[in-house]
Amino acid sequence: MCGIIGYIGPKDAVPYLIEGLRRMEYRGYDSAGVAVWTDDALEVRRAAGKIAKLEAALVASPLSGTVGIGHTRWATHGPPTERNAHPHLSADGTIAVVHNGIIENSTALKAALQDLGYEFRSDTDTEVIAHLVQELFDGSLEEAVINALRKIEGTYGLAVVSSKDRDKIVAARKGSPLLIGVGEGETFLASDPSAILAHTRQVVYLNDGDVAVIERDKYKVIDIDAMPQPRTVDRINWDLAAIERGGYAHFMLKEIFEQPTTIENTMRGRLILEDGTAKLGGINLSHEQLLNIDNIIITACGTSWHSALIGEMMIEELARIPVEVEYASEFRYKNPIVTERTLCIVMSQSGETADTLAAMREAKRRGARTLGLVNVVGSTIAREDDGGVYLHAGPEIGVASTKAFTSQVVALALFTLKLARKRELSVARGREFAQALAALPGQIKTVLDTASVIEAIAEEFKRASNFLYLGRGFNFPAALEGALKLKEISYIHAEGYPAAEMKHGPIALIDEMMPVVFIAPHDAVFDKVVSNVQEVKARNGKTIVITSRDEPSLKGLVDYEIRIPETADMLMPILASVPLQLLAYYIAVKRGSNVDQPRNLAKSVTVE
Ligand code: AGP
């Protein structure tokens, strides 16, 4: 979603702002802008659409100065037009603000400011902050911002500059991530570390309630009562290469092909083959606590929710603990049964999804212990959970999640193994499962070698208007995920169903125009799935079957076959999801979609 960048130092801020905004493009946005102190005035350039349009505006009317802020906006209040793009200026032009989040009492604040004579020039909630800071300004920008924050309700990551208190950027965080980048004689502000990684690896993550005053060679973090808040300097430990395309046509393709390595990284140092268990240092759960878990709730959104469904089945199968999977957006408004013996597992690639974060806070408030399975190091969920397992999949830039999904399932498998071995799983079964996990990276390489077969299938179906994805047992969530991948990036309508449910409704859709993707490896429910394939074939549907063996029972039923290796039933969705990702990718590319930045989507959904 929206991105914030700030620069203060000896050099021209504009190239840093534009580069930072470009690095955050993957997050999804529909307009962009910068504000720079030019020695004469605070000047703003903004444009609707992509950053290239902002660059064109800067060529037409150049800006230069050593203090600046920039923003990519994903529209909430008002359409994605130039007038609604950030930064927003105060009425007298002395204050510029960029803001992520939502000001919930903006209507009341706007009315009060209008009564004082302020005229509004945009439809945004953010503009109230600019006027409010102007109204409250009395010589110190941080004091004016703090006083404005006292009146604001809602969520924000914000950055403010002023021509009346010039050599600083004031930032504040509540519910929307922000970090300070500490450079040599220059300081950065960003909502995403990738925006500043090219210039510094030293970062200070702000917490909710923090206000930061950033100057050229120093910064301070205080709270709303101006009390100092000591914050540590962390080091970003991934390379610039991780956020660059490295020769691939799209980030999504690169991330699909990275999966042998990312899965290996998720398991590195954690899988203990001889004991058939896993070592997970960060979970902060004692032997007794693991034994005393009565029930588990896994909460997440989107793709992370799909991985949770697989986790549910693995934990129930091996650790024999009841598990419920909840959409985070629903969980937070229910009256869930949570006790001190409930473990709430929180799945999130970004660690910033607003609903997931709120669900975790709600589970904590009700007394559950929380365990975050998160990819982004230092993200809010990772910092607020009681214990965690990092995915170590590296930055995921493609909006459609791929490598994070397979790493999530692997992380859930590791946790299941640990939990199950503490309870009733035998060493022998534990070892078998651990060995199957260890074999996955090599097996994914084998699946990736079939990319050209999948590309050819994509060519056949690139004009389809609908798709059905069917699977049973552990592969039902894989069917949901395959359908989500396709609709996200190709805009083809796709549904995932448990294969046997098809005859309770979706079967009405089957005709010669309907491609049906079956996930039918040779597992415990294989024969059942074959019957469902027959039902589709009998109605002239087109079948694309992902399977793991030459099966006589499939003869004559398969229009297009994709072969994957065999593994434990529980891990099959990991192998099956790779061809599903590739199928969605190639279809989307052939349809001319913007694969890495699909329309309307954002990488991390930081609004409710
Ligand atoms: C995945 O392809 C999606 N873009 C989306 O469903 C995503 O998984 C969801 O928004 C949750 O994000 P998170 O894992 O960062 O919390």
Side-chain angles (χ1 to χ4, degrees), residues 149-168:
L149 295 180
R150 291 185 200 284
K151 298 185 185 293
I152 285 171
E153 287 164 23
T155 54
Y156 47 80
L158 59 88
V160 188
V161 288
S162 169
S163 55
K164 293 194 287 186
D165 191 5
R166 294 195 311 229
D167 295 320
K168 62 177 67 154

mmCIF file with all atom_site columns, all heavy atoms in Angstrom, residues 149-168:
data_model
loop_
_atom_site.group_PDB
_atom_site.id
_atom_site.type_symbol
_atom_site.label_atom_id
_atom_site.label_alt_id
_atom_site.label_comp_id
_atom_site.label_asym_id
_atom_site.label_entity_id
_atom_site.label_seq_id
_atom_site.pdbx_PDB_ins_code
_atom_site.Cartn_x
_atom_site.Cartn_y
_atom_site.Cartn_z
_atom_site.occupancy
_atom_site.B_iso_or_equiv
_atom_site.pdbx_formal_charge
_atom_site.auth_seq_id
_atom_site.auth_comp_id
_atom_site.auth_asym_id
_atom_site.auth_atom_id
_atom_site.pdbx_PDB_model_num
ATOM 1   N N   . LEU A 1 149 ? -1.266  15.414 16.881 1.00 0.00 ? 149 LEU A N   1
ATOM 2   C CA  . LEU A 1 149 ? -1.517  13.984 17.132 1.00 0.00 ? 149 LEU A CA  1
ATOM 3   C C   . LEU A 1 149 ? -2.488  13.791 18.292 1.00 0.00 ? 149 LEU A C   1
ATOM 4   O O   . LEU A 1 149 ? -3.260  12.833 18.318 1.00 0.00 ? 149 LEU A O   1
ATOM 5   C CB  . LEU A 1 149 ? -0.211  13.242 17.442 1.00 0.00 ? 149 LEU A CB  1
ATOM 6   C CG  . LEU A 1 149 ? 0.822   13.172 16.309 1.00 0.00 ? 149 LEU A CG  1
ATOM 7   C CD1 . LEU A 1 149 ? 2.065   12.410 16.762 1.00 0.00 ? 149 LEU A CD1 1
ATOM 8   C CD2 . LEU A 1 149 ? 0.230   12.518 15.067 1.00 0.00 ? 149 LEU A CD2 1
ATOM 9   N N   . ARG A 1 150 ? -2.447  14.705 19.263 1.00 0.00 ? 150 ARG A N   1
ATOM 10  C CA  . ARG A 1 150 ? -3.376  14.598 20.401 1.00 0.00 ? 150 ARG A CA  1
ATOM 11  C C   . ARG A 1 150 ? -4.827  14.697 19.942 1.00 0.00 ? 150 ARG A C   1
ATOM 12  O O   . ARG A 1 150 ? -5.734  14.242 20.600 1.00 0.00 ? 150 ARG A O   1
ATOM 13  C CB  . ARG A 1 150 ? -3.107  15.714 21.415 1.00 0.00 ? 150 ARG A CB  1
ATOM 14  C CG  . ARG A 1 150 ? -1.791  15.563 22.147 1.00 0.00 ? 150 ARG A CG  1
ATOM 15  C CD  . ARG A 1 150 ? -1.693  16.664 23.213 1.00 0.00 ? 150 ARG A CD  1
ATOM 16  N NE  . ARG A 1 150 ? -0.321  16.867 23.625 1.00 0.00 ? 150 ARG A NE  1
ATOM 17  C CZ  . ARG A 1 150 ? 0.360   16.072 24.424 1.00 0.00 ? 150 ARG A CZ  1
ATOM 18  N NH1 . ARG A 1 150 ? -0.213  15.001 24.910 1.00 0.00 ? 150 ARG A NH1 1
ATOM 19  N NH2 . ARG A 1 150 ? 1.615   16.333 24.734 1.00 0.00 ? 150 ARG A NH2 1
ATOM 20  N N   . LYS A 1 151 ? -5.036  15.361 18.810 1.00 0.00 ? 151 LYS A N   1
ATOM 21  C CA  . LYS A 1 151 ? -6.410  15.555 18.330 1.00 0.00 ? 151 LYS A CA  1
ATOM 22  C C   . LYS A 1 151 ? -6.831  14.502 17.306 1.00 0.00 ? 151 LYS A C   1
ATOM 23  O O   . LYS A 1 151 ? -7.991  14.431 16.920 1.00 0.00 ? 151 LYS A O   1
ATOM 24  C CB  . LYS A 1 151 ? -6.541  16.945 17.692 1.00 0.00 ? 151 LYS A CB  1
ATOM 25  C CG  . LYS A 1 151 ? -6.283  18.063 18.688 1.00 0.00 ? 151 LYS A CG  1
ATOM 26  C CD  . LYS A 1 151 ? -6.545  19.413 18.033 1.00 0.00 ? 151 LYS A CD  1
ATOM 27  C CE  . LYS A 1 151 ? -6.163  20.557 18.982 1.00 0.00 ? 151 LYS A CE  1
ATOM 28  N NZ  . LYS A 1 151 ? -7.008  20.644 20.177 1.00 0.00 ? 151 LYS A NZ  1
ATOM 29  N N   . ILE A 1 152 ? -5.858  13.740 16.831 1.00 0.00 ? 152 ILE A N   1
ATOM 30  C CA  . ILE A 1 152 ? -6.142  12.807 15.731 1.00 0.00 ? 152 ILE A CA  1
ATOM 31  C C   . ILE A 1 152 ? -6.518  11.429 16.263 1.00 0.00 ? 152 ILE A C   1
ATOM 32  O O   . ILE A 1 152 ? -5.865  10.911 17.166 1.00 0.00 ? 152 ILE A O   1
ATOM 33  C CB  . ILE A 1 152 ? -4.874  12.703 14.840 1.00 0.00 ? 152 ILE A CB  1
ATOM 34  C CG1 . ILE A 1 152 ? -4.746  13.960 13.996 1.00 0.00 ? 152 ILE A CG1 1
ATOM 35  C CG2 . ILE A 1 152 ? -4.906  11.463 13.971 1.00 0.00 ? 152 ILE A CG2 1
ATOM 36  C CD1 . ILE A 1 152 ? -3.429  14.046 13.252 1.00 0.00 ? 152 ILE A CD1 1
ATOM 37  N N   . GLU A 1 153 ? -7.559  10.837 15.664 1.00 0.00 ? 153 GLU A N   1
ATOM 38  C CA  . GLU A 1 153 ? -7.887  9.441  15.969 1.00 0.00 ? 153 GLU A CA  1
ATOM 39  C C   . GLU A 1 153 ? -7.686  8.637  14.693 1.00 0.00 ? 153 GLU A C   1
ATOM 40  O O   . GLU A 1 153 ? -8.038  9.117  13.610 1.00 0.00 ? 153 GLU A O   1
ATOM 41  C CB  . GLU A 1 153 ? -9.367  9.315  16.384 1.00 0.00 ? 153 GLU A CB  1
ATOM 42  C CG  . GLU A 1 153 ? -9.634  9.862  17.767 1.00 0.00 ? 153 GLU A CG  1
ATOM 43  C CD  . GLU A 1 153 ? -11.116 10.096 18.003 1.00 0.00 ? 153 GLU A CD  1
ATOM 44  O OE1 . GLU A 1 153 ? -11.946 9.466  17.311 1.00 0.00 ? 153 GLU A OE1 1
ATOM 45  O OE2 . GLU A 1 153 ? -11.422 10.945 18.864 1.00 0.00 ? 153 GLU A OE2 1
ATOM 46  N N   . GLY A 1 154 ? -7.167  7.431  14.840 1.00 0.00 ? 154 GLY A N   1
ATOM 47  C CA  . GLY A 1 154 ? -6.983  6.596  13.658 1.00 0.00 ? 154 GLY A CA  1
ATOM 48  C C   . GLY A 1 154 ? -5.581  6.052  13.607 1.00 0.00 ? 154 GLY A C   1
ATOM 49  O O   . GLY A 1 154 ? -4.909  5.910  14.629 1.00 0.00 ? 154 GLY A O   1
ATOM 50  N N   . THR A 1 155 ? -5.153  5.716  12.397 1.00 0.00 ? 155 THR A N   1
ATOM 51  C CA  . THR A 1 155 ? -3.821  5.124  12.249 1.00 0.00 ? 155 THR A CA  1
ATOM 52  C C   . THR A 1 155 ? -2.966  6.027  11.357 1.00 0.00 ? 155 THR A C   1
ATOM 53  O O   . THR A 1 155 ? -3.479  6.693  10.455 1.00 0.00 ? 155 THR A O   1
ATOM 54  C CB  . THR A 1 155 ? -3.912  3.739  11.582 1.00 0.00 ? 155 THR A CB  1
ATOM 55  O OG1 . THR A 1 155 ? -4.622  3.874  10.347 1.00 0.00 ? 155 THR A OG1 1
ATOM 56  C CG2 . THR A 1 155 ? -4.623  2.744  12.456 1.00 0.00 ? 155 THR A CG2 1
ATOM 57  N N   . TYR A 1 156 ? -1.682  6.014  11.651 1.00 0.00 ? 156 TYR A N   1
ATOM 58  C CA  . TYR A 1 156 ? -0.807  6.830  10.812 1.00 0.00 ? 156 TYR A CA  1
ATOM 59  C C   . TYR A 1 156 ? 0.637   6.365  10.880 1.00 0.00 ? 156 TYR A C   1
ATOM 60  O O   . TYR A 1 156 ? 1.106   5.857  11.884 1.00 0.00 ? 156 TYR A O   1
ATOM 61  C CB  . TYR A 1 156 ? -0.867  8.314  11.215 1.00 0.00 ? 156 TYR A CB  1
ATOM 62  C CG  . TYR A 1 156 ? -0.763  8.576  12.698 1.00 0.00 ? 156 TYR A CG  1
ATOM 63  C CD1 . TYR A 1 156 ? 0.459   8.566  13.346 1.00 0.00 ? 156 TYR A CD1 1
ATOM 64  C CD2 . TYR A 1 156 ? -1.906  8.810  13.457 1.00 0.00 ? 156 TYR A CD2 1
ATOM 65  C CE1 . TYR A 1 156 ? 0.550   8.799  14.707 1.00 0.00 ? 156 TYR A CE1 1
ATOM 66  C CE2 . TYR A 1 156 ? -1.824  9.035  14.829 1.00 0.00 ? 156 TYR A CE2 1
ATOM 67  C CZ  . TYR A 1 156 ? -0.586  9.028  15.449 1.00 0.00 ? 156 TYR A CZ  1
ATOM 68  O OH  . TYR A 1 156 ? -0.506  9.243  16.810 1.00 0.00 ? 156 TYR A OH  1
ATOM 69  N N   . GLY A 1 157 ? 1.284   6.526  9.723  1.00 0.00 ? 157 GLY A N   1
ATOM 70  C CA  . GLY A 1 157 ? 2.714   6.642  9.644  1.00 0.00 ? 157 GLY A CA  1
ATOM 71  C C   . GLY A 1 157 ? 2.810   7.966  8.921  1.00 0.00 ? 157 GLY A C   1
ATOM 72  O O   . GLY A 1 157 ? 2.232   8.118  7.834  1.00 0.00 ? 157 GLY A O   1
ATOM 73  N N   . LEU A 1 158 ? 3.464   8.956  9.511  1.00 0.00 ? 158 LEU A N   1
ATOM 74  C CA  . LEU A 1 158 ? 3.453   10.241 8.791  1.00 0.00 ? 158 LEU A CA  1
ATOM 75  C C   . LEU A 1 158 ? 4.790   10.942 8.876  1.00 0.00 ? 158 LEU A C   1
ATOM 76  O O   . LEU A 1 158 ? 5.586   10.698 9.788  1.00 0.00 ? 158 LEU A O   1
ATOM 77  C CB  . LEU A 1 158 ? 2.300   11.125 9.252  1.00 0.00 ? 158 LEU A CB  1
ATOM 78  C CG  . LEU A 1 158 ? 2.146   11.567 10.686 1.00 0.00 ? 158 LEU A CG  1
ATOM 79  C CD1 . LEU A 1 158 ? 2.918   12.842 10.926 1.00 0.00 ? 158 LEU A CD1 1
ATOM 80  C CD2 . LEU A 1 158 ? 0.668   11.848 10.941 1.00 0.00 ? 158 LEU A CD2 1
ATOM 81  N N   . ALA A 1 159 ? 5.007   11.810 7.904  1.00 0.00 ? 159 ALA A N   1
ATOM 82  C CA  . ALA A 1 159 ? 6.223   12.619 7.880  1.00 0.00 ? 159 ALA A CA  1
ATOM 83  C C   . ALA A 1 159 ? 5.819   14.041 7.532  1.00 0.00 ? 159 ALA A C   1
ATOM 84  O O   . ALA A 1 159 ? 4.986   14.264 6.653  1.00 0.00 ? 159 ALA A O   1
ATOM 85  C CB  . ALA A 1 159 ? 7.197   12.080 6.839  1.00 0.00 ? 159 ALA A CB  1
ATOM 86  N N   . VAL A 1 160 ? 6.414   14.991 8.278  1.00 0.00 ? 160 VAL A N   1
ATOM 87  C CA  . VAL A 1 160 ? 6.031   16.396 8.117  1.00 0.00 ? 160 VAL A CA  1
ATOM 88  C C   . VAL A 1 160 ? 7.296   17.235 7.976  1.00 0.00 ? 160 VAL A C   1
ATOM 89  O O   . VAL A 1 160 ? 8.266   17.024 8.714  1.00 0.00 ? 160 VAL A O   1
ATOM 90  C CB  . VAL A 1 160 ? 5.243   16.880 9.372  1.00 0.00 ? 160 VAL A CB  1
ATOM 91  C CG1 . VAL A 1 160 ? 4.663   18.265 9.134  1.00 0.00 ? 160 VAL A CG1 1
ATOM 92  C CG2 . VAL A 1 160 ? 4.145   15.894 9.751  1.00 0.00 ? 160 VAL A CG2 1
ATOM 93  N N   . VAL A 1 161 ? 7.287   18.153 7.035  1.00 0.00 ? 161 VAL A N   1
ATOM 94  C CA  . VAL A 1 161 ? 8.367   19.146 6.940  1.00 0.00 ? 161 VAL A CA  1
ATOM 95  C C   . VAL A 1 161 ? 7.744   20.533 6.920  1.00 0.00 ? 161 VAL A C   1
ATOM 96  O O   . VAL A 1 161 ? 6.559   20.695 6.586  1.00 0.00 ? 161 VAL A O   1
ATOM 97  C CB  . VAL A 1 161 ? 9.251   18.957 5.671  1.00 0.00 ? 161 VAL A CB  1
ATOM 98  C CG1 . VAL A 1 161 ? 10.134  17.739 5.796  1.00 0.00 ? 161 VAL A CG1 1
ATOM 99  C CG2 . VAL A 1 161 ? 8.393   18.857 4.410  1.00 0.00 ? 161 VAL A CG2 1
ATOM 100 N N   . SER A 1 162 ? 8.559   21.516 7.331  1.00 0.00 ? 162 SER A N   1
ATOM 101 C CA  . SER A 1 162 ? 8.033   22.878 7.380  1.00 0.00 ? 162 SER A CA  1
ATOM 102 C C   . SER A 1 162 ? 9.092   23.869 6.935  1.00 0.00 ? 162 SER A C   1
ATOM 103 O O   . SER A 1 162 ? 10.278  23.704 7.255  1.00 0.00 ? 162 SER A O   1
ATOM 104 C CB  . SER A 1 162 ? 7.593   23.213 8.815  1.00 0.00 ? 162 SER A CB  1
ATOM 105 O OG  . SER A 1 162 ? 7.332   24.593 8.917  1.00 0.00 ? 162 SER A OG  1
ATOM 106 N N   . SER A 1 163 ? 8.655   24.896 6.259  1.00 0.00 ? 163 SER A N   1
ATOM 107 C CA  . SER A 1 163 ? 9.600   25.940 5.863  1.00 0.00 ? 163 SER A CA  1
ATOM 108 C C   . SER A 1 163 ? 9.858   26.898 7.027  1.00 0.00 ? 163 SER A C   1
ATOM 109 O O   . SER A 1 163 ? 10.718  27.760 6.935  1.00 0.00 ? 163 SER A O   1
ATOM 110 C CB  . SER A 1 163 ? 9.052   26.712 4.658  1.00 0.00 ? 163 SER A CB  1
ATOM 111 O OG  . SER A 1 163 ? 7.766   27.205 4.962  1.00 0.00 ? 163 SER A OG  1
ATOM 112 N N   . LYS A 1 164 ? 9.126   26.719 8.143  1.00 0.00 ? 164 LYS A N   1
ATOM 113 C CA  . LYS A 1 164 ? 9.356   27.602 9.288  1.00 0.00 ? 164 LYS A CA  1
ATOM 114 C C   . LYS A 1 164 ? 10.239  26.952 10.366 1.00 0.00 ? 164 LYS A C   1
ATOM 115 O O   . LYS A 1 164 ? 10.626  27.604 11.315 1.00 0.00 ? 164 LYS A O   1
ATOM 116 C CB  . LYS A 1 164 ? 8.002   28.002 9.886  1.00 0.00 ? 164 LYS A CB  1
ATOM 117 C CG  . LYS A 1 164 ? 7.184   28.892 8.926  1.00 0.00 ? 164 LYS A CG  1
ATOM 118 C CD  . LYS A 1 164 ? 6.027   29.572 9.599  1.00 0.00 ? 164 LYS A CD  1
ATOM 119 C CE  . LYS A 1 164 ? 4.918   28.586 9.892  1.00 0.00 ? 164 LYS A CE  1
ATOM 120 N NZ  . LYS A 1 164 ? 3.695   29.168 10.412 1.00 0.00 ? 164 LYS A NZ  1
ATOM 121 N N   . ASP A 1 165 ? 10.493  25.662 10.205 1.00 0.00 ? 165 ASP A N   1
ATOM 122 C CA  . ASP A 1 165 ? 11.412  24.952 11.120 1.00 0.00 ? 165 ASP A CA  1
ATOM 123 C C   . ASP A 1 165 ? 12.098  23.938 10.225 1.00 0.00 ? 165 ASP A C   1
ATOM 124 O O   . ASP A 1 165 ? 11.770  22.768 10.188 1.00 0.00 ? 165 ASP A O   1
ATOM 125 C CB  . ASP A 1 165 ? 10.595  24.288 12.243 1.00 0.00 ? 165 ASP A CB  1
ATOM 126 C CG  . ASP A 1 165 ? 11.491  23.762 13.356 1.00 0.00 ? 165 ASP A CG  1
ATOM 127 O OD1 . ASP A 1 165 ? 12.716  23.998 13.283 1.00 0.00 ? 165 ASP A OD1 1
ATOM 128 O OD2 . ASP A 1 165 ? 10.975  23.109 14.275 1.00 0.00 ? 165 ASP A OD2 1
ATOM 129 N N   . ARG A 1 166 ? 13.107  24.436 9.486  1.00 0.00 ? 166 ARG A N   1
ATOM 130 C CA  . ARG A 1 166 ? 13.458  23.827 8.216  1.00 0.00 ? 166 ARG A CA  1
ATOM 131 C C   . ARG A 1 166 ? 14.309  22.572 8.233  1.00 0.00 ? 166 ARG A C   1
ATOM 132 O O   . ARG A 1 166 ? 14.152  21.720 7.390  1.00 0.00 ? 166 ARG A O   1
ATOM 133 C CB  . ARG A 1 166 ? 14.182  24.869 7.369  1.00 0.00 ? 166 ARG A CB  1
ATOM 134 C CG  . ARG A 1 166 ? 13.245  25.977 7.007  1.00 0.00 ? 166 ARG A CG  1
ATOM 135 C CD  . ARG A 1 166 ? 13.769  26.804 5.920  1.00 0.00 ? 166 ARG A CD  1
ATOM 136 N NE  . ARG A 1 166 ? 15.121  27.242 6.089  1.00 0.00 ? 166 ARG A NE  1
ATOM 137 C CZ  . ARG A 1 166 ? 15.519  28.485 5.928  1.00 0.00 ? 166 ARG A CZ  1
ATOM 138 N NH1 . ARG A 1 166 ? 14.636  29.409 5.626  1.00 0.00 ? 166 ARG A NH1 1
ATOM 139 N NH2 . ARG A 1 166 ? 16.767  28.821 6.038  1.00 0.00 ? 166 ARG A NH2 1
ATOM 140 N N   . ASP A 1 167 ? 15.270  22.504 9.136  1.00 0.00 ? 167 ASP A N   1
ATOM 141 C CA  . ASP A 1 167 ? 16.265  21.441 8.975  1.00 0.00 ? 167 ASP A CA  1
ATOM 142 C C   . ASP A 1 167 ? 15.887  20.164 9.707  1.00 0.00 ? 167 ASP A C   1
ATOM 143 O O   . ASP A 1 167 ? 16.703  19.582 10.414 1.00 0.00 ? 167 ASP A O   1
ATOM 144 C CB  . ASP A 1 167 ? 17.632  21.966 9.408  1.00 0.00 ? 167 ASP A CB  1
ATOM 145 C CG  . ASP A 1 167 ? 18.065  23.088 8.466  1.00 0.00 ? 167 ASP A CG  1
ATOM 146 O OD1 . ASP A 1 167 ? 17.823  22.932 7.251  1.00 0.00 ? 167 ASP A OD1 1
ATOM 147 O OD2 . ASP A 1 167 ? 18.579  24.111 8.938  1.00 0.00 ? 167 ASP A OD2 1
ATOM 148 N N   . LYS A 1 168 ? 14.683  19.765 9.549  1.00 0.00 ? 168 LYS A N   1
ATOM 149 C CA  . LYS A 1 168 ? 14.255  18.526 10.204 1.00 0.00 ? 168 LYS A CA  1
ATOM 150 C C   . LYS A 1 168 ? 13.042  17.939 9.495  1.00 0.00 ? 168 LYS A C   1
ATOM 151 O O   . LYS A 1 168 ? 12.309  18.640 8.775  1.00 0.00 ? 168 LYS A O   1
ATOM 152 C CB  . LYS A 1 168 ? 13.934  18.778 11.678 1.00 0.00 ? 168 LYS A CB  1
ATOM 153 C CG  . LYS A 1 168 ? 12.793  19.745 11.909 1.00 0.00 ? 168 LYS A CG  1
ATOM 154 C CD  . LYS A 1 168 ? 12.449  19.923 13.387 1.00 0.00 ? 168 LYS A CD  1
ATOM 155 C CE  . LYS A 1 168 ? 13.528  20.612 14.180 1.00 0.00 ? 168 LYS A CE  1
ATOM 156 N NZ  . LYS A 1 168 ? 13.002  21.308 15.378 1.00 0.00 ? 168 LYS A NZ  1
#
